[in-house]
Amino acid sequence: MDLFFNDSIDGRSLEFSKDLSAHLPAKTEKKIGVGIELEYPATYGLKGNQDFFAAHQSPDRVAIYKEWTLAPSGSTQCATTFGPDLDTLKKPNSASDDAAIAAIVRSIKYHYVSNHVRPADKVAEILEALRPEIMKTWKNTYKQSDDFLDHLTSAA
């Protein structure tokens, strides 16, 4: 998941020599793929995404699959496909599709927690760093609502 959301593994760039099994048969194409399926409400406010979901007749669900391959030159290439589920994927049709998919992935703040640290300590550290962003989101979501304090209190 860290590779999918952050383009890194345990805080470092993808290296096929380290991250792919050494037992892979010779002449096998070297690739690593990660896919996710998201329930994504149409009301989630990313600019232009309502148009993207309407154009692809997928109002509240999207699957995204990223695949990294090792090119003959030795460089790593990443291709992204999407669809209503992981069994029905297609390449983006346009730059606006690419932008919408990238915006969806960026909107999810994924934080990798290594098994080398105490998870509770890491979660507390991450939440503390995210607190201003969480408060801003809540204020923007409920700014026209009289029950903002109720939402904030019930979430605490």
Side-chain angles (χ1 to χ4, degrees), residues 39-47 49-50 53 58-61 141:
E39 288 188 22
Y40 202 82
T43 57
Y44 192 76
L46 288 175
K47 195 180 259 188
N49 276 10
Q50 285 76 17
F53 284 112
S58 179
D60 60 357
R61 184 171 197 71
T141 302

Side-chain angles (χ1 to χ4, degrees), residues 1 17 19 24 26 30 32-33 52 56 71 77-78 83 89 92 104 106 108 111 136-137 139 147 154:
M1 297 307 293
S17 62
D19 299 317
L24 192 67
K30 293 183 167 97
I32 297 173
F52 169 79
H56 296 286
Q77 299 172 334
C78 180
L89 297 169
I104 291 167
R106 276 193 319 270
I108 298 169
H111 291 272
K136 179 181 168 188
T137 301
K139 285 179 184 176
D147 57 354
S154 66

Side-chain angles (χ1 to χ4, degrees), residues 3-4 7 32 65-69 76-80:
L3 182 60
F4 184 92
D7 292 319
I32 297 173
Y65 183 80
K66 287 183 165 185
E67 184 174 86
W68 293 261
T69 56
T76 302
Q77 299 172 334
C78 180
T80 302

Side-chain angles (χ1 to χ4, degrees), residues 49-128:
N49 276 10
Q50 285 76 17
D51 296 338
F52 169 79
F53 284 112
H56 296 286
Q57 300 170 348
S58 179
D60 60 357
R61 184 171 197 71
V62 66
I64 303 171
Y65 183 80
K66 287 183 165 185
E67 184 174 86
W68 293 261
T69 56
L70 185 62
S73 65
S75 66
T76 302
Q77 299 172 334
C78 180
T80 302
T81 52
F82 74 100
D85 56 60
L86 289 172
D87 295 323
T88 315
L89 297 169
K90 61 183 178 181
K91 292 181 180 179
N93 295 331
S94 64
S96 64
D97 282 355
D98 283 329
I101 294 164
I104 291 167
V105 172
R106 276 193 319 270
S107 73
I108 298 169
K109 307 294 188 228
Y110 179 84
H111 291 272
Y112 173 72
V113 177
S114 169
N115 62 359
H116 303 289
V117 299
R118 289 187 51 210
D121 293 343
K122 189 64 175 177
V123 168
E125 177 187 322
I126 291 168
L127 283 175
E128 188 60 37

Side-chain angles (χ1 to χ4, degrees), residues 14-31:
L14 173 65
E15 293 179 49
F16 275 92
S17 62
K18 292 181 181 179
D19 299 317
L20 195 62
S21 174
H23 303 289
L24 192 67
K27 296 188 179 181
T28 301
E29 183 180 20
K30 293 183 167 97
K31 60 184 177 178

